[in-house]
Amino acid sequence: MKQLLFLPLFFLAFTTFSQDNAYNLIPFPAQFSGQTGQFTLSASTKIVVTPKDAAQAAAAQLLTNYLKTNTGLTIPLTLATPSMAKGKHLFFAVHKAKRVGPEGYTLAVTPDRVTIEAETPKGYFYAVQTLMQLTNPVAKQIPACQILDRPRYAYRGIMVDVARHFMPVSFIKKHIDLMAMHKMNTFHWHLTDDQGWRIEIKKYPKLTQIGSKRAETLVGHYAQNFPQQYDKTPYGGFYTQDEIKDVVRYATARHVTIVPEIEMPGHAVAALAAYPEYSCDPIKKYAVGTTWGVYDDVFCPTEPTFTFLQDVLTEVFALFPGKHVHIGGDECPKTAWKQSTFCQNLIKKLKLKNEDELQSYIIRRIEKFVTGKGRAIIGWDEILEGGLAPNATVMSWRGTEGGIEAARQKHNVVMTPGAFCYLDKYQANPAQEPMSIGGYLPLETVYSYEPTSAELTPDQQKYIQGVQANLWTEYLKTPEAVEYMLWPRAVAIAEIAWMPKQAGPRNFEDFAARLKAHLPHLDRLSVNYAKRLLDIRAETQFSDAGGSVSRDAAPRQLQVRLNKLDSDSKIFYTLNGKEATPASTEYLAPITLTKTTTVKAVTIPGETPFSETFFIHRAKGRPYTYTENPRTDSDAKKLTDGQVAQAPQSVREWVEVTGKDLDFTIDLGEIKPVTKVSANFLKKVLFGYFPPTSVEVALSRDGQDFKEAIAQPVTYPLEGPWAIMSVVADFKTSKARYVRIRAKNAGPMPAALSFRPNKATTLAIDEVIVD
């Protein structure tokens, strides 16, 4: 038999070790060797366990249940005896070499037997997860292989927020099953926030009687309408302590630890609505939050408040046996503390420098209490501000800097930066996606993340305990919506967290191939995952007269390049407006367009048909220069690339300038007739995106003397939904080489937006079409 091998991942997905064997494991094992042949399951097969070994028996029973459901075979558990040793069975045994660790295992599959060895219940459990993925339920076969496996990180987590939208116990259990299936071991349960308190606390019943219910909920996206609209429908929900105990038991059986989050000192409006006496203004009437964003009202650090928080945590500890409790600590406004005589006197009494150190004082007191109960706290990286509590674990979400700094201070860290791990962002074209908070985070970007920074020394790197995916539910009202955002991007996080770096560099093409084969496992569990692996994406490029593509060559032809994540499927397209089918033209090379054209395409097999209009005009692919560079579009390509922004939800496709006018000149390359110039601007007033007050379009033959300037006033109501606004300048037949556009910034936020008065506004512009 072959020895265990380290194989580079790009090799694995495209390798079969016999004609019938393929290995599409996720997450992929630390060490792996494919073998020839298969082990065949039959009615005579048995699962053999060591007598009086409860861990083996539990994992074996899980395997038995899986095989019965998926192969139809009832394979009994049998205690090991000398007579069983030579049979063609599945054997569980203790790993005596002690080289796999607390969550590791070895798995050996030959045509004659299957052997699972581990040191702990977790090891047996994860071995069975691997075996279930390997099993072909139709052929009733397991491909021969040898595996030695252990995780890279001790902490492998997913956070789900149930404060904004409540999720039923049935969903929570299904989510735990999916985590366990992917060898993730920590469920971060975000239970409290401004918009709802979701955990029963018996000593303080009003937390759920009042704090779990909001009067109504914001309609649409936070920035979608001005003024904002509400559904006028009460919303609520919470978990009883009996329900939580049931979920904890369920998770424990699947080796998933639950980390509850009780937010403090900010994100506390739901609690203050129930118990205003713990605020800095007890006379004020608080209401559970009905919109998203940060509220100024926070806990006031009085002795009664600390008693309240400690009482709550005491009941939380009784429900959750894990070591850690998450205390939030993020996005805590200091306004209430600055205005509070008590807080200002406390700052002086404690000789603190400012409100940041007051927050640190609160976290340190809570940390001391938690430590005294034999537990430990985790907090978002804001707990670094003002000084870090001695035994706190930092969850780094505002980029990677907080995690790096905490590791340098010798604190444990869980990495969860928004750019890679916040799965509430769009994963495809926002125009074709359900409502999301914004941003863009496709599957391949998630998979590219490396949690352990090279900036850290080897000694500091050991403080990086793991990685976590986060999902906030402001715009996710149902379990199906949550699943759509989590999966399969959370699968990428699972592999990042599990697969040791020594196994070779991660290769996305290999991962995508294994993921495609893995998706039927999600289908079997009725998971509403996003089928974006087969999506078609488009980019434009420009070729010279000879057809070669060059940044320096004068562009002559616009070409559309189609691509997809899945390397196996084919793309078919049309240019005549008809829907694409397998009978359409197969895409083999970039498509050259000579006029404005709608390209429609489909993958076979595929999910979402592709359709986008590409604009051919006199400025296509032409260079332009800014008087002052914007914060986006560093390579000056977005405004003439032939692609027009399709939705206001995400600003990824737009060029942005904040607090100043926009001024740029396009070089058409030669003097040409110009009859019309048009451009789109974004209106999203609650996020500060305002169309210009006027747009001046001027033409020139030499780039020095500009004439025929047309100053277009732009009028629009402040009220209403977000929108894409078009500005058009019509000329009589003119000739020019240069087109200059000056757009006037709208100035500071108007008084009507009282929460952001005098804040600078942003101009966002897209494709400039010159006809």
Side-chain angles (χ1 to χ4, degrees):
M1 182 170 290
K2 298 178 183 177
Q3 293 182 339
L4 292 173
L5 302 175
F6 280 112
L7 293 179
L9 291 184
F10 66 81
F11 178 70
L12 294 168
F14 306 104
T15 301
T16 56
F17 293 87
S18 72
Q19 186 174 359
D20 300 320
N21 285 3
Y23 307 89
N24 295 295
L25 296 171
I26 291 180
F28 208 83
Q31 296 181 36
F32 174 88
S33 173
Q35 306 288 304
T36 300
Q38 304 87 25
F39 178 86
T40 301
L41 298 161
S42 68
S44 62
T45 303
K46 293 179 174 59
I47 298 177
V48 183
V49 298
T50 303
K52 298 181 180 180
D53 193 319
Q56 290 183 14
Q61 188 61 54
L62 175 66
L63 181 59
T64 294
N65 296 341
Y66 173 84
L67 294 174
K68 183 175 181 179
T69 301
N70 292 278
T71 70
L73 294 172
T74 300
I75 300 181
L77 269 63
T78 304
L79 297 180
T81 63
S83 62
M84 297 289 301
K86 296 182 179 180
K88 291 189 175 183
H89 304 305
L90 293 90
F91 294 86
F92 282 77
V94 176
H95 186 75
K96 296 181 180 179
K98 302 294 183 184
R99 57 184 178 140
V100 295
E103 295 183 289
Y105 63 91
T106 63
L107 173 63
V109 181
T110 73
D112 296 323
R113 66 191 284 137
V114 176
T115 304
I116 294 171
E117 293 185 357
E119 299 174 23
T120 68
K122 291 180 181 180
Y124 293 120
F125 181 84
Y126 292 136
V128 168
Q129 298 300 322
T130 298
L131 197 57
M132 291 191 296
Q133 286 191 36
L134 284 172
T135 302
N136 182 328
V138 177
K140 299 180 175 60
Q141 290 181 331
I142 306 170
C145 61
Q146 273 195 309
I147 294 170
L148 189 155
D149 203 9
R150 63 172 73 91
R152 179 182 184 186
Y153 294 112
Y155 187 110
R156 307 179 300 279
I158 298 178
M159 186 283 294
V160 175
D161 160 35
V162 296
R164 277 51 178 263
H165 282 102
F166 180 76
M167 296 294 142
V169 167
S170 58
F171 166 78
I172 299 299
K173 288 183 175 181
K174 181 181 178 183
H175 175 69
I176 289 168
D177 282 335
L178 287 167
M179 289 186 63
M181 171 182 169
H182 295 94
K183 301 184 176 70
M184 303 188 85
N185 64 358
T186 308
F187 172 40
H188 174 176
W189 205 355
H190 186 84
L191 290 163
T192 74
D193 216 297
D194 296 312
Q195 296 81 12
W197 185 283
R198 307 292 176 210
I199 175 173
E200 179 187 23
I201 302 297
K202 293 186 181 296
K203 190 168 184 178
Y204 298 95
K206 287 191 290 185
L207 285 172
T208 47
Q209 292 170 0
I210 296 174
S212 71
K213 304 168 186 176
R214 57 178 179 258
E216 57 186 358
T217 303
L218 181 71
V219 172
H221 193 278
Y222 180 92
Q224 189 167 354
N225 299 291
F226 178 73
Q228 292 175 322
Q229 300 175 9
Y230 295 85
D231 62 10
K232 296 179 171 53
T233 302
Y235 184 90
F238 68 92
Y239 306 101
T240 67
Q241 292 198 0
D242 285 341
E243 287 175 324
I244 289 175
K245 291 174 183 177
D246 178 47
V247 169
V248 169
R249 284 192 295 266
Y250 193 88
T252 300
R254 288 149 183 80
H255 302 285
V256 172
T257 298
I258 300 179
V259 175
E261 181 173 0
I262 309 297
E263 279 272 16
M264 62 184 80
H267 287 287
V269 171
L272 297 180
Y275 295 96
E277 57 265 37
Y278 304 125
S279 73
C280 290
D281 185 2
I283 300 175
K284 181 178 177 179
K285 291 185 178 180
Y286 299 90
V288 179
T290 59
T291 190
W292 322 124
V294 177
Y295 289 77
D296 284 340
D297 298 305
V298 299
F299 286 121
C300 194
T302 63
E303 290 306 314
T305 297
F306 282 114
T307 298
F308 165 78
L309 294 173
Q310 291 170 7
D311 288 343
V312 168
L313 290 174
T314 297
E315 291 198 30
V316 169
F317 295 154
L319 296 170
F320 297 96
K323 177 182 178 181
H324 289 98
V325 60
H326 203 299
I327 49 82
D330 63 311
E331 297 179 325
C332 180
K334 311 301 192 294
T335 305
W337 295 343
K338 290 178 180 179
Q339 297 173 351
S340 166
T341 301
F342 171 82
C343 289
Q344 293 305 307
N345 288 337
L346 184 61
I347 288 173
K348 293 176 182 177
K349 178 182 176 181
L350 298 175
K351 298 180 180 180
L352 305 177
K353 293 179 181 178
N354 50 34
E355 288 76 18
D356 285 341
E357 290 197 358
L358 181 60
Q359 177 170 334
S360 178
Y361 161 74
I362 296 170
I363 300 300
R364 286 171 182 268
R365 278 200 55 171
I366 292 298
E367 195 260 357
K368 183 177 180 181
F369 170 78
V370 171
T371 301
K373 297 292 184 180
R375 306 297 182 94
I377 67 167
I378 302 179
W380 302 107
D381 57 50
E382 283 95 333
I383 68 173
L384 283 160
E385 297 168 0
L388 192 54
N391 300 306
T393 294
V394 172
M395 195 164 274
S396 187
W397 74 280
R398 297 178 301 174
T400 60
E401 294 81 5
I404 291 170
E405 178 57 30
R408 285 172 175 161
Q409 294 183 28
K410 299 184 178 181
H411 282 266
N412 287 337
V413 175
V414 175
M415 299 301 293
T416 179
F420 298 96
C421 300
Y422 270 51
L423 305 188
D424 49 358
K425 298 180 180 180
Y426 289 108
Q427 51 194 316
N429 180 355
Q432 298 176 339
E433 283 282 272
M435 182 66 71
S436 175
I437 197 167
Y440 179 63
L441 183 55
L443 178 67
E444 68 270 29
T445 301
V446 177
Y447 193 72
S448 70
Y449 179 53
E450 168 51 49
T452 299
S453 173
E455 294 182 34
L456 297 172
T457 66
D459 184 62
Q460 292 166 344
Q461 287 179 356
K462 70 183 181 182
Y463 292 101
I464 306 299
Q465 297 297 296
V467 62
Q468 176 172 288
N470 290 337
L471 189 66
W472 305 99
T473 61
E474 291 95 334
Y475 305 105
L476 308 176
K477 299 180 180 180
T478 65
E480 292 76 19
V482 170
E483 289 181 351
Y484 182 87
M485 299 301 281
L486 276 176
W487 310 101
R489 289 185 293 184
V491 179
I493 295 288
E495 181 148 301
I496 292 168
W498 182 273
M499 194 176 70
K501 199 170 185 179
Q502 296 89 333
R506 290 196 305 272
N507 178 279
F508 181 77
E509 187 175 2
D510 166 79
F511 172 74
R514 286 183 285 116
L515 177 61
K516 185 178 178 182
H518 181 76
L519 293 179
H521 292 291
L522 300 183
D523 291 325
R524 175 175 55 83
L525 295 173
S526 301
V527 179
N528 185 45
Y529 60 89
K531 299 176 177 64
R532 293 304 186 183
L533 188 63
L534 301 174
D535 273 4
I536 297 170
R537 305 174 186 179
E539 295 178 287
T540 55
Q541 62 186 32
F542 298 90
S543 66
D544 62 20
S548 62
V549 178
S550 170
R551 172 175 285 190
D552 299 324
R556 293 290 184 271
Q557 297 174 311
L558 184 148
Q559 295 180 328
V560 176
R561 188 169 67 250
L562 302 179
N563 58 70
K564 50 188 173 53
L565 299 180
D566 171 48
S567 59
D568 295 331
S569 59
K570 297 180 179 180
I571 298 177
F572 299 89
Y573 71 94
T574 66
L575 304 178
N576 59 6
K578 295 183 178 180
E579 298 301 323
T581 70
S584 303
T585 304
E586 183 178 356
Y587 175 81
L588 299 172
I591 306 164
T592 300
L593 301 181
T594 58
K595 62 181 181 179
T596 297
T597 303
T598 299
V599 177
K600 295 193 173 186
V602 66
T603 54
I604 304 297
E607 285 292 328
T608 305
F610 171 85
S611 179
E612 184 174 345
T613 300
F614 298 88
F615 291 82
I616 305 296
H617 54 93
R618 297 195 185 283
K620 69 179 190 320
R622 296 307 309 171
Y624 51 90
T625 56
Y626 294 101
T627 300
E628 189 172 351
N629 288 332
R631 69 169 182 256
T632 57
D633 197 31
S634 58
D635 55 359
K637 288 185 175 181
K638 282 187 176 183
L639 297 183
T640 59
D641 63 3
Q643 293 184 270
V644 174
Q646 300 179 49
Q649 289 95 311
S650 174
V651 297
R652 186 172 62 95
E653 299 171 292
W654 298 81
V655 176
E656 301 176 30
V657 177
T658 299
K660 53 192 174 185
D661 299 339
L662 180 68
D663 189 335
F664 63 96
T665 301
I666 303 172
D667 181 358
L668 301 180
E670 58 186 1
I671 297 174
K672 300 177 181 180
V674 176
T675 59
K676 184 170 69 172
V677 177
S678 60
N680 289 333
F681 293 90
L682 183 60
K683 173 196 171 187
K684 194 154 62 169
V685 299
L686 285 176
F687 276 7
Y689 289 88
F690 280 67
T693 55
S694 66
V695 179
E696 178 190 273
V697 182
L699 307 179
S700 173
R701 297 189 179 204
D702 59 8
Q704 301 295 323
D705 184 21
F706 284 85
K707 298 180 180 179
E708 303 184 52
I710 297 180
Q712 276 204 334
V714 182
T715 59
Y716 56 90
L718 193 63
E719 297 76 21
W722 57 21
I724 295 175
M725 303 184 65
S726 182
V727 174
V728 180
D730 286 308
F731 297 86
K732 295 177 181 179
T733 302
S734 301
K735 290 188 176 181
R737 173 173 174 174
Y738 298 94
V739 178
R740 187 183 69 198
I741 296 178
R742 289 175 171 170
K744 187 72 174 175
N745 184 276
M749 285 273 212
L753 297 167
S754 58
F755 65 99
R756 284 184 177 176
N758 301 317
K759 180 179 173 63
T761 57
T762 297
L763 272 171
I765 184 175
D766 187 38
E767 187 83 1
V768 177
I769 298 176
V770 179
D771 293 318

